[in-house]
Amino acid sequence: MRFPFGLTRRLMLWLLVFSLIPIIIVGVFASRNFSAQTERQIADVSARTLERASLRLTGLLDEFKSISEYLVLLHTSDTGEHLAFLDAYLHGNTVSDYERLNHSRIFRAATDGFLLSHAYVEGIYLFPEDGSIISNTKSARLTSHVRAADSQWYRNTVEQNGRLYISRSEQFEFLPPGFELLSFSRTIVHPRTKERIGVLLITSKADVFADLLSGLLPDQRIWLTDGSGELLYGDAGGEAPPPIAPDGPQGSRFDRDNDRLLLYRTFSEYDWRLVLSVPL
């Protein structure tokens, strides 16, 4: 029995289609598995990259914390002349010009080593309770007749009750225009009376965080933001990172619109977030 040529062709076509279906199914599943595996590998490598950046940032913050703690200890210890010189500015006491000059000399002697050994530290300032400023800086000259206690960073520092307060890059009133710096500050409290006897401020240029870029590929991006998402540091020309709704102190999500993987890690002590963007 002979089939018409048209029927034979249709049967051959259906046979071809049915034979291709398993190949297509296997190909689709293989492609999906490969894509998922590739995404997992990218996520694993990116997580290690973010971990290294987090360790560098933690080390830097701990270093500033240690410097400030040491300087606070110098001004609250029972030995030496440091405690007496801060006490002199309490309760409206009169401090002579000679005493102020001597106190400035003591302060510079205590902080010169930090300025020389830490390239990113721009200046170290002490604000006694009478509103004066004692400083040791690399380049900036102070603007006179400025009361730091009226500034927001000063009030925020006092509210921290001795903990380190870090403010984003800003123009300080007591510095000439053009000195936009990152600040690390904390209050100094009398060890016995618990009375505040001054505020310590350490300033640094924002590029102190440039080491976060170490190990990144050219098409990867990293940002440091505060808790509200405001940019503190980034390598994308001032561009803010994509919005992230954090689900825990660390995590990741895929930005399908831009075909990128976003990873984040939160530093709860300072309410900061480190965000890494990686192309897929």
Side-chain angles (χ1 to χ4, degrees):
M1 178 179 179
R2 298 181 62 186
F3 292 99
F5 179 72
L7 180 58
T8 302
R9 186 169 57 183
R10 286 196 294 270
L11 289 174
M12 292 296 293
L13 181 61
W14 279 110
L15 181 61
L16 178 63
V17 169
F18 282 119
S19 65
L20 288 176
I21 288 176
I23 298 175
I24 294 174
I25 293 175
V26 171
V28 169
F29 276 99
S31 176
R32 288 184 176 178
N33 288 338
F34 178 77
S35 298
Q37 183 179 7
T38 301
E39 289 183 354
R40 286 195 297 270
Q41 290 176 342
I42 293 175
D44 290 342
V45 173
S46 301
R48 289 194 291 270
T49 300
L50 183 63
E51 176 68 20
R52 289 193 295 269
S54 300
L55 290 175
R56 286 192 290 269
L57 179 59
T58 299
L60 180 65
L61 295 177
D62 286 346
E63 190 168 3
F64 273 105
K65 187 176 181 179
S66 297
I67 292 173
S68 65
E69 287 175 346
Y70 175 73
L71 293 175
V72 167
L73 179 64
L74 285 180
H75 291 86
T76 56
S77 63
D78 289 325
T79 60
E81 51 190 337
H82 301 287
L83 179 62
F85 112 57
L86 277 178
D87 277 350
Y89 294 85
L90 294 175
H91 311 304
N93 294 336
T94 300
V95 182
S96 68
D97 291 341
Y98 172 78
E99 289 174 316
R100 291 180 186 275
L101 183 64
N102 189 46
H103 298 160
S104 182
R105 177 190 62 79
I106 294 171
F107 185 69
R108 285 197 300 272
T111 55
D112 272 341
F114 293 110
L115 291 178
L116 292 173
S117 60
H118 296 78
Y120 46 81
V121 175
E122 285 294 308
I124 305 176
Y125 305 84
L126 186 65
F127 299 88
E129 289 300 290
D130 71 339
S132 60
I133 306 176
I134 301 172
S135 67
N136 191 6
T137 72
K138 290 180 177 177
S139 56
R141 293 185 177 181
L142 301 185
T143 301
S144 58
H145 309 298
V146 173
R147 182 172 173 80
D150 297 329
S151 304
Q152 187 63 46
W153 72 266
Y154 188 99
R155 292 192 291 269
N156 291 344
T157 302
V158 172
E159 290 174 359
Q160 292 299 308
N161 295 320
R163 297 189 303 273
L164 185 67
Y165 171 71
I166 308 177
S167 66
R168 69 185 191 88
S169 183
E170 62 178 276
Q171 172 68 54
F172 292 96
E173 300 87 344
F174 54 86
L175 294 176
F179 282 87
E180 292 191 3
L181 302 168
L182 195 71
S183 73
F184 302 78
S185 53
R186 68 192 319 149
T187 54
I188 304 175
V189 178
H190 195 289
R192 290 188 296 275
T193 66
K194 306 305 178 182
E195 180 182 14
R196 190 178 72 241
I197 57 178
V199 169
L200 176 73
L201 171 73
I202 304 172
T203 60
S204 169
K205 290 183 178 179
D207 61 6
V208 65
F209 297 125
D211 196 38
L212 295 178
L213 307 180
S214 177
L216 293 186
L217 298 176
D219 52 357
Q220 294 178 338
R221 297 288 179 265
I222 195 165
W223 297 270
L224 180 63
T225 72
D226 62 15
S228 62
E230 189 170 358
L231 186 64
L232 295 171
Y233 179 78
D235 68 326
E239 175 188 351
I244 290 180
D247 184 17
Q250 62 185 28
S252 63
R253 74 172 180 85
F254 289 102
D255 181 4
R256 299 298 182 185
D257 293 336
N258 298 302
D259 202 26
R260 300 184 76 88
L261 171 66
L262 300 176
L263 303 95
Y264 67 89
R265 180 183 290 266
T266 302
F267 297 82
S268 57
E269 184 176 359
Y270 306 106
D271 194 24
W272 285 7
R273 186 173 300 124
L274 198 59
V275 180
L276 176 66
S277 173
V278 180
L280 297 175

PDB file of all heavy atoms in Angstrom, residues 7 20 29 31 45 54 62 86 104 120 133 143-144 148-149 151-152 159 163 183 191 207-208 211 228 235 251:
ATOM      1  N   LEU A   7       0.939  12.853   2.557  1.00  0.00           N
ATOM      2  CA  LEU A   7       0.776  12.206   3.855  1.00  0.00           C
ATOM      3  C   LEU A   7       2.119  11.719   4.383  1.00  0.00           C
ATOM      4  O   LEU A   7       2.422  11.841   5.578  1.00  0.00           O
ATOM      5  CB  LEU A   7      -0.197  11.035   3.721  1.00  0.00           C
ATOM      6  CG  LEU A   7      -0.485  10.240   5.013  1.00  0.00           C
ATOM      7  CD1 LEU A   7      -1.052  11.161   6.087  1.00  0.00           C
ATOM      8  CD2 LEU A   7      -1.425   9.069   4.719  1.00  0.00           C
ATOM      9  N   LEU A  20      12.485  15.831  18.250  1.00  0.00           N
ATOM     10  CA  LEU A  20      13.173  17.041  18.741  1.00  0.00           C
ATOM     11  C   LEU A  20      12.712  17.458  20.137  1.00  0.00           C
ATOM     12  O   LEU A  20      13.430  18.160  20.843  1.00  0.00           O
ATOM     13  CB  LEU A  20      12.940  18.201  17.767  1.00  0.00           C
ATOM     14  CG  LEU A  20      13.670  18.133  16.428  1.00  0.00           C
ATOM     15  CD1 LEU A  20      13.266  19.284  15.534  1.00  0.00           C
ATOM     16  CD2 LEU A  20      15.186  18.139  16.645  1.00  0.00           C
ATOM     17  N   PHE A  29      16.376  22.541  30.238  1.00  0.00           N
ATOM     18  CA  PHE A  29      16.782  22.252  31.618  1.00  0.00           C
ATOM     19  C   PHE A  29      18.283  22.436  31.809  1.00  0.00           C
ATOM     20  O   PHE A  29      18.724  22.951  32.840  1.00  0.00           O
ATOM     21  CB  PHE A  29      16.370  20.823  31.999  1.00  0.00           C
ATOM     22  CG  PHE A  29      14.960  20.700  32.461  1.00  0.00           C
ATOM     23  CD1 PHE A  29      13.974  20.263  31.593  1.00  0.00           C
ATOM     24  CD2 PHE A  29      14.605  21.055  33.752  1.00  0.00           C
ATOM     25  CE1 PHE A  29      12.658  20.165  32.014  1.00  0.00           C
ATOM     26  CE2 PHE A  29      13.298  20.957  34.183  1.00  0.00           C
ATOM     27  CZ  PHE A  29      12.310  20.510  33.299  1.00  0.00           C
ATOM     28  N   SER A  31      20.215  24.450  30.130  1.00  0.00           N
ATOM     29  CA  SER A  31      20.495  25.893  30.100  1.00  0.00           C
ATOM     30  C   SER A  31      20.146  26.537  31.425  1.00  0.00           C
ATOM     31  O   SER A  31      20.896  27.366  31.954  1.00  0.00           O
ATOM     32  CB  SER A  31      19.715  26.535  28.954  1.00  0.00           C
ATOM     33  OG  SER A  31      19.890  27.930  28.950  1.00  0.00           O
ATOM     34  N   VAL A  45      31.653  34.064  44.679  1.00  0.00           N
ATOM     35  CA  VAL A  45      32.861  34.871  44.484  1.00  0.00           C
ATOM     36  C   VAL A  45      32.618  36.304  44.947  1.00  0.00           C
ATOM     37  O   VAL A  45      33.473  36.917  45.608  1.00  0.00           O
ATOM     38  CB  VAL A  45      33.301  34.840  43.007  1.00  0.00           C
ATOM     39  CG1 VAL A  45      34.449  35.813  42.771  1.00  0.00           C
ATOM     40  CG2 VAL A  45      33.716  33.429  42.602  1.00  0.00           C
ATOM     41  N   SER A  54      34.687  44.318  53.532  1.00  0.00           N
ATOM     42  CA  SER A  54      34.151  44.546  54.876  1.00  0.00           C
ATOM     43  C   SER A  54      35.246  44.463  55.924  1.00  0.00           C
ATOM     44  O   SER A  54      35.270  45.259  56.877  1.00  0.00           O
ATOM     45  CB  SER A  54      33.052  43.531  55.183  1.00  0.00           C
ATOM     46  OG  SER A  54      31.992  43.632  54.271  1.00  0.00           O
ATOM     47  N   ASP A  62      38.134  50.386  63.195  1.00  0.00           N
ATOM     48  CA  ASP A  62      38.721  49.990  64.482  1.00  0.00           C
ATOM     49  C   ASP A  62      39.984  50.804  64.770  1.00  0.00           C
ATOM     50  O   ASP A  62      40.270  51.117  65.936  1.00  0.00           O
ATOM     51  CB  ASP A  62      39.052  48.499  64.486  1.00  0.00           C
ATOM     52  CG  ASP A  62      37.814  47.630  64.595  1.00  0.00           C
ATOM     53  OD1 ASP A  62      36.746  48.174  64.925  1.00  0.00           O
ATOM     54  OD2 ASP A  62      37.919  46.414  64.333  1.00  0.00           O
ATOM     55  N   LEU A  86      42.594  69.765  81.051  1.00  0.00           N
ATOM     56  CA  LEU A  86      41.188  69.849  80.660  1.00  0.00           C
ATOM     57  C   LEU A  86      40.326  70.366  81.796  1.00  0.00           C
ATOM     58  O   LEU A  86      39.363  71.091  81.575  1.00  0.00           O
ATOM     59  CB  LEU A  86      40.687  68.475  80.205  1.00  0.00           C
ATOM     60  CG  LEU A  86      40.993  68.096  78.761  1.00  0.00           C
ATOM     61  CD1 LEU A  86      40.484  66.693  78.457  1.00  0.00           C
ATOM     62  CD2 LEU A  86      40.388  69.089  77.794  1.00  0.00           C
ATOM     63  N   SER A 104      48.327  73.676  74.469  1.00  0.00           N
ATOM     64  CA  SER A 104      48.446  73.375  73.046  1.00  0.00           C
ATOM     65  C   SER A 104      49.722  72.578  72.769  1.00  0.00           C
ATOM     66  O   SER A 104      49.721  71.641  71.955  1.00  0.00           O
ATOM     67  CB  SER A 104      48.435  74.675  72.238  1.00  0.00           C
ATOM     68  OG  SER A 104      48.512  74.423  70.867  1.00  0.00           O
ATOM     69  N   TYR A 120      46.182  59.361  56.253  1.00  0.00           N
ATOM     70  CA  TYR A 120      44.814  59.801  55.987  1.00  0.00           C
ATOM     71  C   TYR A 120      44.252  60.711  57.087  1.00  0.00           C
ATOM     72  O   TYR A 120      43.183  61.291  56.927  1.00  0.00           O
ATOM     73  CB  TYR A 120      43.893  58.591  55.809  1.00  0.00           C
ATOM     74  CG  TYR A 120      44.088  57.522  56.854  1.00  0.00           C
ATOM     75  CD1 TYR A 120      43.506  57.624  58.107  1.00  0.00           C
ATOM     76  CD2 TYR A 120      44.866  56.393  56.580  1.00  0.00           C
ATOM     77  CE1 TYR A 120      43.689  56.663  59.059  1.00  0.00           C
ATOM     78  CE2 TYR A 120      45.047  55.405  57.533  1.00  0.00           C
ATOM     79  CZ  TYR A 120      44.458  55.544  58.756  1.00  0.00           C
ATOM     80  OH  TYR A 120      44.649  54.577  59.708  1.00  0.00           O
ATOM     81  N   ILE A 133      39.231  75.995  71.085  1.00  0.00           N
ATOM     82  CA  ILE A 133      39.688  74.884  70.244  1.00  0.00           C
ATOM     83  C   ILE A 133      41.189  74.723  70.416  1.00  0.00           C
ATOM     84  O   ILE A 133      41.943  75.700  70.311  1.00  0.00           O
ATOM     85  CB  ILE A 133      39.373  75.116  68.760  1.00  0.00           C
ATOM     86  CG1 ILE A 133      37.895  75.412  68.542  1.00  0.00           C
ATOM     87  CG2 ILE A 133      39.782  73.899  67.928  1.00  0.00           C
ATOM     88  CD1 ILE A 133      37.551  75.743  67.102  1.00  0.00           C
ATOM     89  N   THR A 143      39.439  78.897  61.792  1.00  0.00           N
ATOM     90  CA  THR A 143      38.701  80.158  61.753  1.00  0.00           C
ATOM     91  C   THR A 143      38.337  80.529  63.181  1.00  0.00           C
ATOM     92  O   THR A 143      37.746  79.732  63.905  1.00  0.00           O
ATOM     93  CB  THR A 143      37.435  80.022  60.898  1.00  0.00           C
ATOM     94  OG1 THR A 143      37.812  79.640  59.578  1.00  0.00           O
ATOM     95  CG2 THR A 143      36.664  81.321  60.840  1.00  0.00           C
ATOM     96  N   SER A 144      38.693  81.694  63.587  1.00  0.00           N
ATOM     97  CA  SER A 144      38.464  82.117  64.980  1.00  0.00           C
ATOM     98  C   SER A 144      37.000  82.481  65.206  1.00  0.00           C
ATOM     99  O   SER A 144      36.223  82.667  64.273  1.00  0.00           O
ATOM    100  CB  SER A 144      39.356  83.315  65.323  1.00  0.00           C
ATOM    101  OG  SER A 144      39.101  84.380  64.436  1.00  0.00           O
ATOM    102  N   ALA A 148      31.962  75.484  68.364  1.00  0.00           N
ATOM    103  CA  ALA A 148      31.630  74.159  67.833  1.00  0.00           C
ATOM    104  C   ALA A 148      30.377  73.580  68.479  1.00  0.00           C
ATOM    105  O   ALA A 148      29.667  72.793  67.855  1.00  0.00           O
ATOM    106  CB  ALA A 148      32.807  73.211  68.041  1.00  0.00           C
ATOM    107  N   ALA A 149      30.086  73.967  69.722  1.00  0.00           N
ATOM    108  CA  ALA A 149      28.935  73.410  70.431  1.00  0.00           C
ATOM    109  C   ALA A 149      27.621  73.715  69.733  1.00  0.00           C
ATOM    110  O   ALA A 149      26.606  73.058  69.999  1.00  0.00           O
ATOM    111  CB  ALA A 149      28.906  73.929  71.862  1.00  0.00           C
ATOM    112  N   SER A 151      27.187  73.345  66.544  1.00  0.00           N
ATOM    113  CA  SER A 151      27.158  72.549  65.314  1.00  0.00           C
ATOM    114  C   SER A 151      26.426  71.230  65.530  1.00  0.00           C
ATOM    115  O   SER A 151      26.421  70.675  66.630  1.00  0.00           O
ATOM    116  CB  SER A 151      28.584  72.267  64.828  1.00  0.00           C
ATOM    117  OG  SER A 151      29.307  73.475  64.640  1.00  0.00           O
ATOM    118  N   GLN A 152      25.853  70.710  64.448  1.00  0.00           N
ATOM    119  CA  GLN A 152      25.092  69.470  64.537  1.00  0.00           C
ATOM    120  C   GLN A 152      25.980  68.291  64.871  1.00  0.00           C
ATOM    121  O   GLN A 152      25.598  67.412  65.652  1.00  0.00           O
ATOM    122  CB  GLN A 152      24.355  69.214  63.211  1.00  0.00           C
ATOM    123  CG  GLN A 152      23.407  68.038  63.254  1.00  0.00           C
ATOM    124  CD  GLN A 152      22.279  68.234  64.255  1.00  0.00           C
ATOM    125  OE1 GLN A 152      21.661  69.301  64.314  1.00  0.00           O
ATOM    126  NE2 GLN A 152      22.011  67.216  65.072  1.00  0.00           N
ATOM    127  N   GLU A 159      25.353  63.221  72.141  1.00  0.00           N
ATOM    128  CA  GLU A 159      24.252  62.266  72.318  1.00  0.00           C
ATOM    129  C   GLU A 159      24.737  60.818  72.337  1.00  0.00           C
ATOM    130  O   GLU A 159      24.030  59.940  72.826  1.00  0.00           O
ATOM    131  CB  GLU A 159      23.225  62.451  71.200  1.00  0.00           C
ATOM    132  CG  GLU A 159      22.443  63.759  71.292  1.00  0.00           C
ATOM    133  CD  GLU A 159      21.551  63.970  70.084  1.00  0.00           C
ATOM    134  OE1 GLU A 159      21.576  63.101  69.170  1.00  0.00           O
ATOM    135  OE2 GLU A 159      20.843  64.999  70.041  1.00  0.00           O
ATOM    136  N   ARG A 163      30.473  57.063  73.013  1.00  0.00           N
ATOM    137  CA  ARG A 163      30.739  56.186  71.871  1.00  0.00           C
ATOM    138  C   ARG A 163      31.247  57.013  70.689  1.00  0.00           C
ATOM    139  O   ARG A 163      30.971  58.211  70.594  1.00  0.00           O
ATOM    140  CB  ARG A 163      29.483  55.415  71.464  1.00  0.00           C
ATOM    141  CG  ARG A 163      28.950  54.476  72.532  1.00  0.00           C
ATOM    142  CD  ARG A 163      27.848  53.586  71.979  1.00  0.00           C
ATOM    143  NE  ARG A 163      26.759  54.369  71.410  1.00  0.00           N
ATOM    144  CZ  ARG A 163      25.727  54.824  72.096  1.00  0.00           C
ATOM    145  NH1 ARG A 163      25.644  54.578  73.397  1.00  0.00           N
ATOM    146  NH2 ARG A 163      24.774  55.507  71.512  1.00  0.00           N
ATOM    147  N   SER A 183      34.585  62.934  59.701  1.00  0.00           N
ATOM    148  CA  SER A 183      34.981  63.158  61.091  1.00  0.00           C
ATOM    149  C   SER A 183      34.660  61.962  61.974  1.00  0.00           C
ATOM    150  O   SER A 183      33.668  61.257  61.776  1.00  0.00           O
ATOM    151  CB  SER A 183      34.276  64.400  61.648  1.00  0.00           C
ATOM    152  OG  SER A 183      32.910  64.146  61.879  1.00  0.00           O
ATOM    153  N   PRO A 191      36.842  60.627  84.701  1.00  0.00           N
ATOM    154  CA  PRO A 191      36.695  59.242  85.160  1.00  0.00           C
ATOM    155  C   PRO A 191      36.011  59.091  86.508  1.00  0.00           C
ATOM    156  O   PRO A 191      35.418  58.048  86.781  1.00  0.00           O
ATOM    157  CB  PRO A 191      38.140  58.737  85.208  1.00  0.00           C
ATOM    158  CG  PRO A 191      38.979  59.971  85.344  1.00  0.00           C
ATOM    159  CD  PRO A 191      38.253  61.044  84.597  1.00  0.00           C
ATOM    160  N   ASP A 207      38.658  60.010  50.899  1.00  0.00           N
ATOM    161  CA  ASP A 207      39.350  58.948  50.161  1.00  0.00           C
ATOM    162  C   ASP A 207      40.071  57.976  51.084  1.00  0.00           C
ATOM    163  O   ASP A 207      40.788  57.090  50.623  1.00  0.00           O
ATOM    164  CB  ASP A 207      40.315  59.533  49.130  1.00  0.00           C
ATOM    165  CG  ASP A 207      41.415  60.384  49.756  1.00  0.00           C
ATOM    166  OD1 ASP A 207      41.500  60.432  50.999  1.00  0.00           O
ATOM    167  OD2 ASP A 207      42.176  61.006  48.992  1.00  0.00           O
ATOM    168  N   VAL A 208      39.877  58.137  52.379  1.00  0.00           N
ATOM    169  CA  VAL A 208      40.385  57.147  53.316  1.00  0.00           C
ATOM    170  C   VAL A 208      39.774  55.769  53.014  1.00  0.00           C
ATOM    171  O   VAL A 208      40.347  54.735  53.340  1.00  0.00           O
ATOM    172  CB  VAL A 208      40.078  57.572  54.770  1.00  0.00           C
ATOM    173  CG1 VAL A 208      38.591  57.585  55.034  1.00  0.00           C
ATOM    174  CG2 VAL A 208      40.766  56.656  55.770  1.00  0.00           C
ATOM    175  N   ASP A 211      40.655  52.179  49.747  1.00  0.00           N
ATOM    176  CA  ASP A 211      41.136  50.805  49.787  1.00  0.00           C
ATOM    177  C   ASP A 211      40.009  49.794  49.571  1.00  0.00           C
ATOM    178  O   ASP A 211      40.268  48.626  49.287  1.00  0.00           O
ATOM    179  CB  ASP A 211      41.827  50.532  51.128  1.00  0.00           C
ATOM    180  CG  ASP A 211      42.672  49.270  51.098  1.00  0.00           C
ATOM    181  OD1 ASP A 211      43.310  49.016  50.051  1.00  0.00           O
ATOM    182  OD2 ASP A 211      42.694  48.531  52.092  1.00  0.00           O
ATOM    183  N   SER A 228      20.124  55.540  55.999  1.00  0.00           N
ATOM    184  CA  SER A 228      19.041  56.071  55.167  1.00  0.00           C
ATOM    185  C   SER A 228      19.330  55.938  53.679  1.00  0.00           C
ATOM    186  O   SER A 228      18.526  56.356  52.848  1.00  0.00           O
ATOM    187  CB  SER A 228      18.794  57.551  55.516  1.00  0.00           C
ATOM    188  OG  SER A 228      19.947  58.334  55.240  1.00  0.00           O
ATOM    189  N   ASP A 235      32.483  54.585  44.054  1.00  0.00           N
ATOM    190  CA  ASP A 235      33.404  54.719  42.928  1.00  0.00           C
ATOM    191  C   ASP A 235      32.666  54.910  41.611  1.00  0.00           C
ATOM    192  O   ASP A 235      33.205  54.672  40.547  1.00  0.00           O
ATOM    193  CB  ASP A 235      34.297  53.477  42.819  1.00  0.00           C
ATOM    194  CG  ASP A 235      33.504  52.247  42.416  1.00  0.00           C
ATOM    195  OD1 ASP A 235      32.337  52.133  42.821  1.00  0.00           O
ATOM    196  OD2 ASP A 235      34.059  51.403  41.694  1.00  0.00           O
ATOM    197  N   GLY A 251      22.978  40.272  52.957  1.00  0.00           N
ATOM    198  CA  GLY A 251      22.170  39.514  52.017  1.00  0.00           C
ATOM    199  C   GLY A 251      22.481  39.917  50.594  1.00  0.00           C
ATOM    200  O   GLY A 251      23.446  40.630  50.319  1.00  0.00           O
TER     201      GLY A 251
END
